[in-house]
Amino acid sequence: MAGWLLKVSSVATAVVASSGFYLYNNKQLDPNDISLVRFGRAAATTAVISYDYMTSLKHVEYGSEEYWALKSQVHRRSAERLRNLCCANRGTFIKVGQHLGALDYLLPEEYTSTLKVLHSRAPQSTMEEIQQVIREDLGKELSDLFISFNEKPQGAASLAQVHKAVLHDGRTVAVKVQHPKVQTQSSKDIVVMEVLLNMVHWLFPDFAFMWLVEEAKRNMPVELDFLNEGRNAEKVAAMLAHFPWLKVPKIHWDLSTRRILTMDFAEGGQVNDRDYMRRHSINVNEISQNLGKMYSEMIFVHGFVHCDPHPGNVLVRRCPNTKKTEIVLLDHGLYQILLPDFRLNYCRLWQSLIKGDLNGIERYSRRLGAGDLYPLFACVLTARSWTSVNAGIGNTPVTHSEDVEIRSNAALYLPQISDLLNRVPRQMLLLLKTNDLLRGIETTLQTRAASSSFINMSRCCTRAVARHKRSTAQSRARRLQITMSESLTLWQISLYELFLWVKGSTLGGWVGSLLSCLHYTH
C-alpha cells in the first residue's frame, strides 16, 4: 500500500512539473487556471500525508509516550502541507481550510493552530482584475462610479476582497469584489476534494470527513451570490433592530451584483483585539455579553443564524455620536435557517445541558440524531467534559485542565467524532462551527467562564419554547397559562442574574465579609 501511495505521489508530482514546464513556455496562462495542476497539487499532498501517517507510526508501540510525541509531529507536518496546499490552490481550498481551522474541539490542536493562519493568508486579486469585474458587472469605469477607490484592499478573504471608496455624493463605502476565477474553479475544486477524501477514507476507514464536502457543495453557491448576502444583511438588521448596539452596514443596491457588494463603510477593531478595546475604553464583558445575546436570539428565537463569526467579521467600536459601545456584524454570505422542530429540540437540549438534566440531554440528543453517541455529542457541543455536563454546565466553571482534557480526548475519539458528524442533521454542522468560533472569541477576551452567556441562552430558550407552545394551544386560557409561566421563569432568571451581579460587586464583597465576621463571632 505504501508503495502504491508513493507511485501516486510520483505521478502527481510529474503532472505538476510537466504542467509547470508547459506554462513556463506559455506565459499568458496562470497555473491556477489549469484544473490538472490544481488536482495534481491536491493529489500529491494527499498522497504524501497518507504515506507519512502509514509509515511514521508503523514501528512504534501504540499508546507509548514515543507514539504520542511522534503522532504530534506527523499531525504538525501534515497540517503544514495542507496549509501550503490551500495557499497554492486558493479559493475554495482556503475556505475549507478556514472551516477546519475553526473546529477547535473536533480536530487535533496541531491542525487547528496551523490552519487558523489562513484567515490572514487569503489571496489578493490585482487591481486590473478588480477593475475588470467592476467593468463587466456595473458597466462603468471606476472613475465614473467613485471619487476615490483605494487600490490596497482593507481585507482579503478566500472568495473576495474589500476596498474603501468614496461616492460622488461624498459617502464612504466598502466595495466587496469577488476574485474573478472563484466562480469557475469552485465546482471543480469540490469534485477534486470529494475524490481525494473518498480515497483517504478507503485507506483509513476511521477518517470519515465526507460531511465537509457535502457542506462545501451546499454552501459555496450561496456564498458566491453577493445579492443573497445583501438580502441576508437587511433581514438580520430588521430582525435584531431592538438591539441598539448592533450595526449592520446599509447595502447600496444600485452598486451591487452577484459578484460585487457595496455597503456603508464601518470603522472598528476586531472583536478579539483586546489592545484596541483597552485604548478605546471598551468593556470586554459588555462585548461578550452582547455577542451572546445576539447569537442566542438568532439561534433559539428566530432560527436564522450568521454562521461565520470569525474575528474579522465582528468589529467593535465606540459610536462617534453617542459614545456608546457598538458591535458591527459583517459578511452575511453564510446563514443557516433552522427548521422549527430542530430549533425546539436544540433549545430543550441546551436547557437540559445548563441544568444537568441527564434524561433531557439523552432524549434531545437522540432526537437530533446523535443516537448512542449522545454523551460525546454533549461534550462536543459544549466543549466541556462529561463530568461538567453531569453537574450542569451552568453550575461548573471552565478550567484550563478541563480544556486540556477536551483537546486530548478529541484526538483519541476522532473516529467516533467523525461518525457523529456524519449522523447529525446537516444544520448541526454549521452550528458547531459557529459555537467554536464564538468560544474562540470568548477565550481570547477571557470571558468564557462568565455565566452571562448561559443566562442569555436560558432567556431565549424559554421565550422560544413558550412561543411554540402558544402557537399549538387550543384555548385562550391555555395560552394565558403559558404566558404566565414564561413570565415567571424569565423573572426567576432576572432575579438570579441580579444575585450574581450583587455577589460580584463591591457591595456583595462587603456583605460577604460582614456575614463571615458574624459567623466567626458566634
Side-chain angles (χ1 to χ4, degrees), residues 44-45 48 62 68 108 131 139 150 165 214 218-219 226 263 274 288-289 297 321 405 413 429 435 476 520:
T45 302
V48 169
Y62 177 82
W68 294 118
Q131 286 177 312
N150 286 10
E214 291 171 17
R218 181 179 294 105
N219 297 325
F226 288 177
M263 68 206 90
R274 287 180 63 89
S288 184
Q289 186 173 0
E297 189 91 9
N321 298 324
E405 179 188 346
Y413 291 103
L429 300 177
N435 284 347
R476 178 181 292 183
Y520 181 75

Side-chain angles (χ1 to χ4, degrees), residues 20-89:
F21 179 75
Y22 168 73
L23 292 166
Y24 178 78
N25 292 292
N26 191 344
K27 293 182 170 54
Q28 291 184 338
L29 289 176
D30 183 341
N32 277 307
D33 294 342
I34 309 299
S35 297
L36 191 62
V37 172
R38 299 167 70 80
F39 175 78
R41 280 196 200 117
T45 302
T46 303
V48 169
I49 290 174
S50 301
Y51 183 79
D52 198 358
Y53 274 105
M54 292 179 70
T55 56
S56 297
L57 304 172
K58 193 173 182 179
H59 304 294
V60 184
E61 182 185 352
Y62 177 82
S64 64
E65 286 188 20
E66 183 185 2
Y67 174 87
W68 294 118
L70 194 57
K71 190 167 186 178
S72 177
Q73 292 173 20
V74 177
H75 282 334
R76 183 72 63 186
R77 286 197 299 267
S78 301
E80 288 171 355
R81 289 169 181 141
L82 189 57
R83 179 196 62 202
N84 294 339
L85 169 65
C86 293
C87 290
N89 275 5

